[in-house]
Amino acid sequence: MAKFTMPVETKMPLVLLSGLAADARIFTPQKVAFPQLRCPAWSPPHRQESIDEYAQRLAETLDPGPCVIGGASFGGIVALHLAEHVDAQAVILIGSIKSPSQLPVYARCARPFRFLIPFLPIRFLQLLSRPMTAGRLKRFAPFAHGLACQFRDSDPRVFKWSLSRILDWSLAPVPSCPVYHLHGDRDWTLPVKYTDPDKVVVGAGHVLSLTHPDEVNSYLKDVLSQKSLE
C-alpha cells in the first residue's frame, strides 16, 4: 500500500478541482502532502452556463494570486478554462484531457443523446448506491466505499451539468502557462491511448490521486518546486 508523502516545503498556492460526482475527498493524500492545497467545492451551476462562464465565476471566489491549478478528470477540463481567469503559473491535469479530440469514442458517440441528460434519475441511482456506502464495505473495500460515498453526496444539478458540458465541449482554451499531464495506463474512463500525457503511471486507473498518491504527489512537488524557483 502506498504511503502518504510528508508535507512539501513550498509556498506556491495549489488549487485542485475534483472530477464528475467527486469532491475534495479524492485529494485526501494530496492534502496531507501540501498544506497550501485548496479544493473548492462544486457550486450549483447557472442554467445553461458554459464551462468558461463557470470558471470565471469560480475565479471570483478564489483570488489565489500566482498559483498552480489543476484537476482530476472533468476537474482538469475546468482547470484549463480557469487558467484564463486567475494568475496561473501552470496547469496540472491528473487523469484528464487537453482537448475535445481526446475524448474516448463512447463519449463522442453519446453526444447526439445529450438531450436525455436532464431525465437521468440521479437521485434514484444515489439511492441504489447506498448499500455500497455501508460501514462494512469500508472495511473490506475502502476504495469502492469512498467513491460510492462521494457519488451519494454529489449534487444532481452539478452532475448533470458536468456531464452535459463534457458532451458539448467543442473548444479547448490554450493557457498562456505550461500544461502538465499525468495519466494512468489503466485508465478505462479516459483511456491513455487517446491522450498525450507527459508522464504515465504504470498500473494506475482513473482515480490515481487515491490509488497512486506517491506518484501524484511527487509529480505535483516537481511542478510546484519548479514554479517556486522561477
Side-chain angles (χ1 to χ4, degrees):
M1 179 180 294
K3 297 180 180 179
F4 292 176
T5 308
M6 293 297 292
V8 175
E9 295 292 335
T10 175
K11 296 182 179 180
M12 176 67 69
L14 175 62
V15 178
L16 294 178
L17 306 178
S18 58
L20 180 65
D23 55 36
R25 285 172 285 186
I26 204 171
F27 295 123
T28 297
Q30 287 68 54
K31 285 185 174 181
V32 174
F34 304 96
Q36 78 274 34
L37 172 60
R38 295 175 63 182
C39 302
W42 292 104
S43 61
H46 295 163
R47 184 175 178 84
Q48 298 301 318
E49 189 171 29
S50 69
I51 296 179
D52 195 67
E53 290 169 338
Y54 185 92
Q56 183 174 5
R57 191 159 57 86
L58 175 61
E60 294 171 355
T61 69
L62 293 176
D63 190 26
C67 61
V68 170
I69 64 175
S73 192
F74 178 65
I77 294 174
V78 178
L80 289 171
H81 289 263
L82 180 62
E84 297 191 317
H85 304 289
V86 299
D87 188 7
Q89 306 301 297
V91 177
I92 303 177
L93 306 181
I94 305 172
S96 187
I97 54 178
K98 296 185 181 78
S99 71
S101 64
Q102 296 183 347
L103 283 167
V105 173
Y106 73 82
R108 299 177 209 175
C109 292
R111 281 175 169 166
F113 305 100
R114 186 175 62 84
F115 70 96
L116 295 174
I117 292 176
F119 304 102
L120 289 177
I122 303 302
R123 291 290 189 192
F124 179 68
L125 294 175
Q126 289 175 319
L127 183 62
L128 292 180
S129 72
R130 299 196 75 168
M132 297 184 66
T133 65
R136 287 173 295 180
L137 182 65
K138 182 177 181 179
R139 178 180 177 184
F140 297 106
F143 179 67
H145 174 270
L147 294 184
C149 287
Q150 291 186 58
F151 175 66
R152 177 200 61 191
D153 298 338
S154 64
D155 186 333
R157 294 170 297 176
V158 174
F159 186 97
K160 293 179 180 180
W161 174 81
S162 301
L163 192 55
S164 294
R165 297 295 77 80
I166 291 173
L167 295 185
D168 65 16
W169 192 38
S170 61
L171 184 63
V174 181
S176 58
C177 61
V179 176
Y180 301 89
H181 186 181
L182 184 68
H183 215 93
D185 70 341
R186 296 185 181 179
D187 188 332
W188 312 130
T189 303
L190 295 173
V192 68
K193 67 180 180 180
Y194 297 115
T195 70
D196 58 344
D198 300 301
K199 183 175 181 179
V200 174
V201 180
V202 177
H206 191 55
V207 195
L208 63 166
S209 60
L210 286 177
T211 61
H212 292 70
D214 286 346
E215 290 86 343
V216 173
N217 290 353
S218 176
Y219 193 76
L220 292 171
K221 177 183 177 182
D222 288 344
V223 175
L224 287 168
S225 298
Q226 177 183 334
K227 294 303 169 183
S228 295
L229 293 173
E230 291 180 353

